[in-house]
Amino acid sequence: MKQELVFEAPRRAMPPRHFADLDDGARVVAVTELGLPAFRAKQLANQYFGRLTADPAAMTDLPAAVRAQVADALFPTLLTPARQVECDAGETRKTLWRAVDGTTFESVLMRYPGRDGSAGRATVCISSQAGCGMACPFCATGQGGLNRNLSVAEILEQVRAAASELRDERGERLSNIVFMGMGEPLANYNRVLSVLRRIIAAPPNGFGISARSVTVSTVGLAPAIRRLADEGLGVTLALSLHAPDDELRNTLVPVNNRWDITEVLDAATYYARTTGRRVSVEYALIRDVNDQPWRADLLGKKLHAAFGPLVHVNLIPLNPTPGSRWDASPKPVEREFVARVRAQGVTCTVRDTRGREIAAACGQLAAEG
């Protein structure tokens, strides 16, 4: 019997309008409705995207007499940090955000210093939904179900907060963004698309982060993958596959009951060929579940046949959630799995595991508090 899936978020009141929700034209309308000249729209955009400022009281190029009015109308406080935990000598920091309606969701900021002591790179892992409706049984977020979609501004605020934190605390720039936090990004398609456009646009219209440094993860919503390919953005696609055979994937990733592996790989191949970008296949290695040698062989064969060189397997040692029956595969099994995938002509690496001691698997912090 096929499991019923929820793809649409429950209908809930969205947060108040924020400047980051608005496109160029809507910004002009919003400021003129406040009785301000149209050029203030570009000024505010430069403050938000260029200077990473979301508090009009700190916008010195804005007349002092109108700052409170602008703050009330366009810059409501959307997110409040409810809890922060860190590990890896402060290089990994996870934030549990609380929205105005009490909804909670998470983001994780990870720094990877350069080998020569340079700044290296900094990645923020952000959420696109509060909770998730994909029901993957080994995922903490999937166990909690879907609360609601996040707004454009709620997603962008996670990015701005990380970029501001890096700049103010370390004098560094945010280099990478991954949509691998809570939720299925392609189930909140229109808002995520708006966010992507603002992330890659140059200031004052966006944060100016290279599309090649932005990764959108999906469990395999095949029509949305094709649609994203046709947007022409050039961001990286990460496909959470987790099994090479439909029998197991139907259980591990229930959306497979709607779009099976053949359909999902066809869509991902279309993405790779349309954009010219290599697709990352995410595979959480689970002890005695999906880590058998024959599954490694089958995975490599299917991916090589579908993508040729335009694919990379990213093995993820499972981060077990409290009370879960799932566990990570032993290291010897992991090494054999990597070798067998590579033997089929597909590149394969093991993801650096960050934040196990702070419950950094998505959904764990929200589940705790």
Side-chain angles (χ1 to χ4, degrees), residues 101-177:
D101 63 352
T103 297
T104 57
F105 49 90
E106 305 161 359
S107 66
V108 184
L109 178 59
M110 297 163 283
R111 291 184 68 254
Y112 300 87
R115 294 178 181 177
D116 58 354
S118 60
R121 62 186 173 91
T123 299
V124 65
C125 177
I126 61 175
S127 296
S128 54
Q129 296 180 310
C132 184
M134 298 297 106
C136 300
F138 57 90
C139 172
T141 305
Q143 293 168 27
L146 178 62
N147 187 340
R148 67 169 173 84
N149 286 328
L150 300 186
S151 69
V152 171
E154 285 175 323
I155 302 172
L156 286 171
E157 274 290 271
Q158 296 171 67
V159 178
R160 188 197 62 80
S164 176
E165 180 179 313
L166 280 167
R167 180 198 61 190
D168 296 345
E169 293 186 5
R170 300 178 181 267
E172 298 173 5
R173 285 178 54 84
L174 181 65
S175 56
N176 296 77
I177 298 171

Side-chain angles (χ1 to χ4, degrees), residues 1-314:
M1 181 177 178
K2 293 189 176 182
Q3 182 172 352
E4 184 178 352
L5 301 175
V6 178
F7 294 101
E8 296 296 329
R11 291 187 177 274
R12 298 179 186 271
M14 294 301 288
R17 181 185 69 167
H18 188 282
F19 184 81
D21 288 314
L22 309 177
D23 61 20
D24 294 353
R27 293 172 197 157
V28 172
V29 171
V31 298
T32 55
E33 285 178 346
L34 295 178
L36 303 175
F39 74 84
R40 296 291 183 198
K42 184 174 181 180
Q43 210 169 35
L44 293 174
N46 188 61
Q47 287 283 357
Y48 186 84
F49 292 107
R51 298 181 183 177
L52 307 176
T53 303
D55 180 8
M59 299 178 184
T60 56
D61 56 354
L62 194 65
V66 302
R67 291 176 193 171
Q69 179 189 19
V70 170
D72 291 342
L74 297 177
F75 289 91
T77 299
L78 296 182
L79 310 183
T80 303
R83 186 179 174 197
Q84 279 194 328
V85 288
E86 61 180 46
C87 67
D88 303 316
E91 304 290 21
T92 301
R93 182 178 297 174
K94 184 166 189 173
T95 302
L96 177 67
W97 298 103
R98 192 177 306 281
V100 293
D101 63 352
T103 297
T104 57
F105 49 90
E106 305 161 359
S107 66
V108 184
L109 178 59
M110 297 163 283
R111 291 184 68 254
Y112 300 87
R115 294 178 181 177
D116 58 354
S118 60
R121 62 186 173 91
T123 299
V124 65
C125 177
I126 61 175
S127 296
S128 54
Q129 296 180 310
C132 184
M134 298 297 106
C136 300
F138 57 90
C139 172
T141 305
Q143 293 168 27
L146 178 62
N147 187 340
R148 67 169 173 84
N149 286 328
L150 300 186
S151 69
V152 171
E154 285 175 323
I155 302 172
L156 286 171
E157 274 290 271
Q158 296 171 67
V159 178
R160 188 197 62 80
S164 176
E165 180 179 313
L166 280 167
R167 180 198 61 190
D168 296 345
E169 293 186 5
R170 300 178 181 267
E172 298 173 5
R173 285 178 54 84
L174 181 65
S175 56
N176 296 77
I177 298 171
V178 294
F179 285 75
M180 294 183 178
M182 298 176 71
E184 162 58 53
L186 298 188
N188 190 12
Y189 187 91
N190 290 333
R191 294 189 183 99
V192 166
L193 180 63
S194 295
V195 169
L196 290 172
R197 295 192 188 283
R198 288 165 174 74
I199 285 173
I200 66 178
N205 297 313
F207 293 119
I209 294 174
S210 169
R212 290 181 174 271
S213 299
V214 180
T215 299
V216 177
S217 177
T218 178
V219 294
L221 278 59
I225 291 172
R226 292 178 176 273
R227 185 178 171 190
L228 185 63
D230 293 334
E231 303 287 356
L233 298 180
V235 298
T236 298
L237 179 73
L239 173 62
S240 295
L241 197 64
H242 305 311
D245 55 304
D246 286 319
E247 182 179 6
L248 178 58
R249 194 169 192 265
N250 285 344
T251 299
L252 294 183
V253 188
V255 74
N256 199 72
N257 289 280
R258 180 172 292 193
W259 297 290
D260 64 19
I261 289 175
T262 297
E263 292 175 277
V264 170
L265 291 184
D266 283 348
T269 302
Y270 177 78
Y271 190 93
R273 293 175 179 170
T274 300
T275 63
R277 301 300 314 282
R278 186 172 68 167
V279 169
S280 176
V281 170
E282 311 291 301
Y283 197 103
L285 211 56
I286 308 172
R287 182 195 295 261
D288 300 328
V289 175
N290 66 350
D291 60 356
Q292 298 85 355
W294 70 266
R295 282 198 163 96
D297 296 339
L298 181 60
L299 178 67
K301 288 176 183 177
K302 283 191 173 184
L303 296 183
H304 182 72
F307 294 94
L310 289 176
V311 68
H312 172 86
V313 174
N314 191 15

